[in-house]
């Protein structure tokens, strides 16, 4: 998106692809030719043929492809609409991240309530059809603002630029840095320069000028070979991306914790009393409390905390690093709460002799609400904090790449969760139906110990995050007045 199409075209094209995917999925569940016949009772069920499976996979991969292009670009394009040189617009950007995630969470709430109900009571094709129509309307609304948007030019492939600096630095690894950093190569206009920093000094060697580096620099538009010589600004951009990695690594564990809310917490709920009056709450619908916690947290933070914090500290809310810290702390507390709730659930299972069965235990499912609320509130802070951090602290031409870096913490969190479950099953038993922390029958296991392990890992990870946050030095944009003075001075010259 940063390199070829630009964020606007990427969003437009890939949102249309996602719309086609949801539309294809709706057709696949509606048309008899695209799905196997219904299977009732003791009938021999007919499997889907190759053509029907092919249509299904095409639909799913279109949705995945569309989501990948859309998610990585939409937040970066949103921040492009704010001028960081204008203090008023810069402060408004802090509200953007909260409201952006608020609407995402509202959509999630609609999905796990209204759409699930329509899917179960009316039909899957209706639910997917509503998704498709909603996406189509969203595309039209997005395109309607075409003339009002601010656009930023693509600045080349950020991945190629990063490798150019690394290769140039490696090739000159045996050379000594000059005593004066002003002797390093720089060809970036003054208004766009990033000043030299002392971090990752070995990368500075990519900007050392040696004989032959400037041979191609003949005409006004010519430039040296970027694989041999890189300007200081390019080197500093790579340094900025490298400085994000410790924060990136210490936020992965949150999404490992998040994965437990979607899996083991739902499994806990399936064994507990879920009746409210004459209505039985589906175990999977308990995620409503999770989404509700996100919405409540974002609303309170946006309408109450941010205005008060601005009056008290003069800043529009917590910094991105502070929000991430809050998210990590709340998720760790959520795992501790989950462990306590599981201890209670297991005590009831043993006391009633239900540990050998999978029946409903005489304990209310609402004791799980604290863990859903704590982790949900944590996600509200960490999602907006990560989004803000990776976009504002990355170079201008690498915003989409940094958003992708943020999204990898989600995917890696789920991979780490799967790895952790496999390791715990291997070390603590529980495989093949045996006893262990994660036994096949949850009443035979010790899920409380697993939650306790996640809480301990959360404490260790939080300590590492604090160290990384203290080490990290946020990039400060040049004041607008100073930039205007610089431009005026250049014009006079």
């Amino acid at each position: 998106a940063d390199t070829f199409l630009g964020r606007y075209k990427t969003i437009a094209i890939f949102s249309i692809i996602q719309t086609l995917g949801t539309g294809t999925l709706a057709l696949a569940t509606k048309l008899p030719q695209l799905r196997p016949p219904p299977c009732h009772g003791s009938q021999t069920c007919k499997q889907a043929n190759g053509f029907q499976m092919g249509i299904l996979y095409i639909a799913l991969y279109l949705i995945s492809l569309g989501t990948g292009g859309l998610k990585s670009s939409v937040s970066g394009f949103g921040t492009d609409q704010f001028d960081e040189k204008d203090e008023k617009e810069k402060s408004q950007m802090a509200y953007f991240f909260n409201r952006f995630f608020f609407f995402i969470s509202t959509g999630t709430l609609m999905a796990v309530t209204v759409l699930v109900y329509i899917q179960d009571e009316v039909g899957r094709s209706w639910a997917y059809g509503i998704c498709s129509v909603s996406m189509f309307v969203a595309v039209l609304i997005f395109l309607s603002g075409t003339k009002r948007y601010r656009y930023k030019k693509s600045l080349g492939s950020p991945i190629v630029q990063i490798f150019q600096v690394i290769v140039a630095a490696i090739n000159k690894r045996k050379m000594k840095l000059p005593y004066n950093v002003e002797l390093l190569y720089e060809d970036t206009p003054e208004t766009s320069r990033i000043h030299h920093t002392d971090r990752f000094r070995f990368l500075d060697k990519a900007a050392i000028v040696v004989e032959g580096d400037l041979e191609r620099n003949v005409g006004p538009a010519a430039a040296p070979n970027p694989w041999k010589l890189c300007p200081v600004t390019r080197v500093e951009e790579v340094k900025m991306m490298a400085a994000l990695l410790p924060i990136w690594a210490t936020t992965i564990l949150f999404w490992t914790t998040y994965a437990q809310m979607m899996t083991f917490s739902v499994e806990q709920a399936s064994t507990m009393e879920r009746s409210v009056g004459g209505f039985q709450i589906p175990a999977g619908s308990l995620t409503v409390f999770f989404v509700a916690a996100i919405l409540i947290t974002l609303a309170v933070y946006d309408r109450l905390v941010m205005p008060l914090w601005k009056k008290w500290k003069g800043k529009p809310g917590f910094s991105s690093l502070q929000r991430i810290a809050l998210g990590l702390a709340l998720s760790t507390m959520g795992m501790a709460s989950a462990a306590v709730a599981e201890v209670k659930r297991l005590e009831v299972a043993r006391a009633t002799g239900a540990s050998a069965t999978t029946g409903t235990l005489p304990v209310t499912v609402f004791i799980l609400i604290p863990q859903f609320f704590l982790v949900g509130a944590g996600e509200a802070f960490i999602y907006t904090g990560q989004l803000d951090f990776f976009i504002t602290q990355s170079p201008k031409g690498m915003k989409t790449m940094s958003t992708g870096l943020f999204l990898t913490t989600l995917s890696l969190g789920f991979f780490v969760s799967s790895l952790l479950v496999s390791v715990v099953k291997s070390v603590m038993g529980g495989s093949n139906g045996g006893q262990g922390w994660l036994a096949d029958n949850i009443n035979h296991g010790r899920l409380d110990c697993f939650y306790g392990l996640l809480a301990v890992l959360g404490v260790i990870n939080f300590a590492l995050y604090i160290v990384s946050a203290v080490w990290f030095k946020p990039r400060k944009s040049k004041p607008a007045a100073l930039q205007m003075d610089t431009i005026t001075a250049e014009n006079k010259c």
Side-chain angles (χ1 to χ4, degrees):
D2 285 330
T3 310
F4 303 107
L5 298 172
R7 297 186 190 108
Y8 170 78
K9 289 182 180 178
T10 301
I11 294 170
I13 292 171
F14 283 88
S15 58
I16 291 172
I17 291 174
Q18 188 173 4
T19 305
L20 290 173
T22 53
T24 305
L25 196 59
L27 290 175
T29 55
K30 179 65 177 176
L31 299 179
Q33 302 91 332
L34 300 181
R35 59 182 175 86
C39 185
H40 301 290
S42 59
Q43 295 178 358
T44 302
C45 299
K46 186 177 180 180
Q47 294 186 347
N49 58 39
F51 173 73
Q52 292 168 340
M53 291 300 295
I55 295 297
L56 175 64
Y57 278 115
I58 286 173
L60 295 177
Y61 280 110
L62 282 173
I63 293 171
S64 299
L65 182 63
T67 302
L70 183 61
K71 274 194 172 184
S72 62
S73 303
V74 68
S75 54
F77 186 70
T79 58
D80 285 347
Q81 309 312 307
F82 300 90
D83 186 358
E84 292 187 21
K85 299 174 185 177
D86 186 308
E87 288 300 320
K88 183 179 179 180
E89 291 194 23
K90 187 178 178 181
S91 63
Q92 290 173 339
M93 191 190 297
Y95 287 90
F96 164 75
F97 293 112
N98 295 329
R99 292 168 186 176
F100 174 74
F101 188 49
F102 181 88
F103 280 103
I104 290 177
S105 300
T106 302
T108 304
L109 184 63
M110 295 291 289
V112 299
T113 53
V114 177
L115 281 181
V116 168
Y117 178 82
I118 293 174
Q119 177 179 293
D120 291 344
E121 301 297 326
V122 182
R124 288 182 179 273
S125 57
W126 277 93
Y128 295 138
I130 291 171
C131 287
S132 184
V133 172
S134 299
M135 278 298 300
F136 181 72
V137 173
V139 172
L140 293 180
I141 294 172
F142 173 74
L143 294 177
S144 68
T146 300
K147 294 182 180 180
R148 300 182 182 89
Y149 296 137
R150 290 174 176 172
Y151 302 91
K152 293 187 178 179
K153 293 182 180 179
S154 299
L155 301 176
S157 171
I159 297 176
V160 172
Q161 294 170 9
I162 290 171
F163 276 111
Q164 286 174 343
V165 172
I166 293 173
V167 169
I170 291 174
N171 290 336
K172 296 177 180 178
R173 63 188 180 278
K174 295 182 180 179
M175 301 186 68
K176 291 185 178 180
L177 290 168
Y179 65 91
N180 189 346
V181 295
E182 292 184 2
L183 297 175
L184 295 173
Y185 176 70
E186 179 63 282
D187 64 351
T188 309
E190 181 65 32
T191 54
S192 303
R193 285 183 185 178
I194 303 175
H195 296 293
H196 177 269
T197 60
D198 291 329
R199 288 186 175 179
F200 308 112
R201 291 293 301 274
F202 62 92
L203 291 175
D204 289 338
K205 294 186 178 183
I208 297 176
V209 181
V210 298
E211 187 177 353
D213 279 349
L214 298 175
E215 287 181 358
R216 290 178 57 196
N217 198 14
V218 179
N225 187 343
W227 294 94
K228 293 182 178 180
L229 180 65
C230 301
V232 172
T233 294
R234 180 67 52 79
V235 173
E236 290 301 319
E237 287 178 342
V238 176
K239 287 183 181 182
M240 287 169 65
M241 292 301 295
L244 302 179
L245 295 180
I247 302 295
W248 170 82
T250 50
T251 54
I252 292 173
L253 189 65
F254 172 85
W255 299 105
T256 300
T257 300
Y258 171 89
Q260 312 317 314
M261 295 295 100
M262 305 297 109
T263 53
F264 289 121
S265 291
V266 174
E267 189 175 358
Q268 281 178 294
S270 66
T271 68
M272 303 169 77
E273 179 59 51
R274 304 188 305 277
S275 297
V276 178
F279 178 71
Q280 178 89 348
I281 302 174
S285 292
L286 280 182
T287 52
V288 168
F289 295 110
F290 184 83
V291 180
I294 296 173
L295 294 173
I296 292 170
T297 302
L298 289 172
V300 171
Y301 181 72
D302 185 90
R303 307 309 300 174
L304 184 63
V305 176
M306 291 185 78
L308 291 176
W309 196 260
K310 190 171 185 179
K311 288 182 180 180
W312 183 31
K313 294 287 187 178
K315 298 177 181 178
F318 303 135
S319 69
S320 57
L321 291 176
Q322 288 172 335
R323 276 177 280 166
I324 294 173
L326 278 170
L328 293 175
L330 287 168
S331 68
T332 302
M333 293 167 61
M335 287 298 95
S337 173
V340 172
E342 178 62 9
V343 169
K344 174 65 176 175
R345 196 195 66 81
L346 286 174
E347 286 178 354
V348 173
R350 296 189 187 102
T352 57
S355 59
T357 68
T358 55
T360 301
L361 300 175
V363 56
T364 177
V365 75
F366 295 115
I367 66 171
L368 301 182
I369 289 179
Q371 65 201 58
F372 279 102
F373 261 83
L374 285 168
V375 179
E379 186 185 356
F381 283 115
I382 202 167
Y383 192 102
T384 57
Q386 278 186 291
L387 199 58
D388 187 354
F389 174 78
F390 282 104
I391 288 179
T392 59
Q393 298 303 320
S394 64
K396 289 182 179 180
M398 300 185 183
K399 288 186 184 295
T400 302
M401 179 181 172
S402 64
T403 307
L405 196 65
F406 152 56
L407 292 172
T408 60
T409 63
L410 279 74
S411 55
L412 286 173
F414 278 86
F415 278 116
V416 171
S417 175
S418 299
L419 176 63
L420 190 61
V421 167
S422 298
V423 170
V424 168
K425 279 193 172 185
S426 176
V427 175
M428 305 308 297
S431 59
N432 301 320
Q435 301 296 325
W437 285 10
L438 302 175
D440 291 339
N441 184 338
I442 190 174
N443 293 333
H444 288 165
R446 291 300 306 272
L447 189 57
D448 56 326
C449 294
F450 181 69
Y451 282 142
L453 174 63
L454 283 170
V456 171
L457 291 175
V459 171
I460 296 171
N461 183 72
F462 183 75
L464 293 173
Y465 170 78
I466 294 299
V467 172
S468 301
V470 170
W471 173 82
F472 182 81
K473 294 180 180 178
R475 178 173 67 94
K476 296 181 179 179
S477 59
K478 191 186 294 184
L482 180 57
Q483 291 179 350
M484 288 304 299
D485 290 343
T486 304
I487 295 170
T488 304
E490 287 179 350
N491 291 337
K492 287 181 179 178
C493 292

